[in-house]
Amino acid sequence: MQKAWIAGTLGCLLMGGSVTGYWHFMKHTEFRVQTMETVKPVRMLHSGEVVQASLLRKEIIPVAAHQADAVTRMEDVIGKTVLVPLASSEELVAWKLDDRRMVPGEGERYFSFRTDAAANVNNMVRRGDRVDVWVEFDQPKGVATPGGALYTVGAVKIIEGLPVTGVKTPEGVEVTDTGGLEAVVEPARSQYREARSKAAGKPELNTYIMSDEVFEAYSLGGMGGRIKLALPDLTAPAGASGTVTPLFRQLKEADAFTKTKPQVRLNGEPDPGHMTGAAGGGAKAGAEAAPASPAGSPVPQAKEVNPQ
C-alpha cells in the first residue's frame, strides 16, 4: 500500500514537472515569435544633432510596442538630422529625422546675426530648423499695385526655408531642448510643441546658411523694419531651402525698405499670403492697418563665420 502511494506521488510529480516544462517552453516560443529587433538612441538626441552610429543601439522589443513608422535599421538613419528630441527609451520615428544639409553648398556661406527670444518664435528655433523670415515695419506701409489696389501692410515675408545651423546663448552655448519625450503615444505635433517649449538657454546669435541674394534680403529687411522668424510645421516634408520670395524682389525694386517711404508702387501683383494687413484682393486706401511694432528697431549686424 505504501509503495503504491509513493509511486502515485512520484507519477504526479513527474506529470507536474512535464506540464511546467512544457508551459515554459511555450512561453519562450511565444516570446520569440512576438518580439523584434529595433533601433533606439543611447541617450536623448537633441534637435539639430546629426545621427552617428555611436549614438545608436539595438534592442529587442515586443511587436505590439513597435511604432509603424519607426526605422529599424541603423544604416537608414545614420547621417540624418534630428528635428525633434528623441528620448533614449523611444524608437527613431521617421518624421523626427530629415536629410537636412548643415554645411554651405556652392555659392553659399555661413552668416551670423544677433537675435532674441521674441524674434526666435518665443525661443523655439533650434539648430537644424528651416525658418521663414518676415519683416515687421515700424509704421504701416502703403503698397500700390498696377491694378489700382492699395494694401496697407504691417509685415511681409522675404525669405522661405532659411537653414539654421546654430542658435547660441550669450555664453556661446548651443540652445537645446530640455524636455523629454517619453510619451510617444501623443500626436506628432503635440510632441513637437512640448519639446520646443523648454529651452536650455536664451538665444543671442543665430547662424544661417545664405546665398548672396538671401543675405541681401535679410540685411535690407533689417534696415526697413524688425526681423521676425516664423517656424513652419516641421512634421511636414521640407521644400526648397533658403530662397527669397517674389514679393521681396518686387519690394526691393520699389525701394520699399527705405523707412522714409510710407508708400511704394509695385510693378506686379503681390502674393497676399506673404503680407499682413491685406484683405481679400487688396485693402483700399484708408483701410485699417495691422498693429505696428515700436519704432527704433535695431539694424541687424551680420558677420561671415568660418566653422572650425
Side-chain angles (χ1 to χ4, degrees), residues 282-294:
K284 296 300 181 181
E288 275 198 298
S293 61

Side-chain angles (χ1 to χ4, degrees), residues 152-166:
T152 304
V153 179
V156 293
K157 184 196 290 189
I158 60 172
I159 304 170
E160 292 182 314
L162 181 62
V164 181
T165 63

Side-chain angles (χ1 to χ4, degrees), residues 36-239:
M36 61 176 291
E37 186 177 78
T38 190
V39 178
K40 293 186 178 182
V42 298
R43 58 167 175 80
M44 172 170 279
L45 302 182
H46 296 285
S47 301
E49 282 196 83
V50 178
V51 180
Q52 302 174 10
S54 60
L55 299 176
L56 304 175
R57 61 186 171 89
K58 294 183 178 180
E59 183 176 310
I60 301 296
I61 64 170
V63 172
H66 172 65
Q67 298 187 72
D69 57 345
V71 182
T72 58
R73 299 195 310 168
M74 287 189 178
E75 54 267 30
D76 292 338
V77 295
I78 292 175
K80 292 197 174 186
T81 301
V82 179
L83 297 182
V84 177
L86 285 155
S88 60
S89 60
E90 66 174 302
E91 294 181 276
L92 278 68
V93 182
W95 71 266
K96 297 182 182 181
L97 304 167
D98 192 25
D99 293 311
R100 298 202 166 183
R101 181 168 49 86
M102 299 294 288
V103 296
E106 184 177 355
E108 297 177 328
R109 289 177 290 278
Y110 290 110
F111 284 95
S112 293
F113 289 84
R114 290 196 177 276
T115 188
D116 56 32
N120 277 23
V121 199
N122 194 26
N123 198 6
M124 292 178 66
V125 176
R126 302 287 182 268
R127 179 178 185 268
D129 286 347
R130 298 290 187 267
V131 296
D132 295 336
V133 181
W134 287 73
V135 174
E136 185 180 44
F137 295 116
D138 296 334
Q139 298 295 332
K141 191 176 292 288
V143 176
T145 70
L150 176 62
Y151 293 86
T152 304
V153 179
V156 293
K157 184 196 290 189
I158 60 172
I159 304 170
E160 292 182 314
L162 181 62
V164 181
T165 63
V167 181
K168 297 294 183 66
T169 67
E171 296 75 26
V173 179
E174 189 73 28
V175 176
T176 59
D177 302 308
T178 60
L181 288 177
E182 304 296 336
V184 296
V185 295
E186 294 183 3
R189 288 181 177 83
S190 298
Q191 293 185 53
Y192 170 70
R193 183 175 59 251
E194 175 65 20
R196 289 297 171 90
S197 66
K198 302 172 183 178
K202 294 183 178 180
E204 183 179 82
L205 200 68
N206 283 358
T207 300
Y208 308 103
I209 295 176
M210 291 180 163
S211 64
D212 291 345
E213 185 181 31
V214 171
F215 172 74
E216 178 188 38
Y218 199 106
S219 299
L220 284 178
M223 295 176 187
R226 185 183 299 273
I227 292 290
K228 292 292 183 70
L229 304 181
L231 199 58
D233 179 11
L234 297 187
T235 66

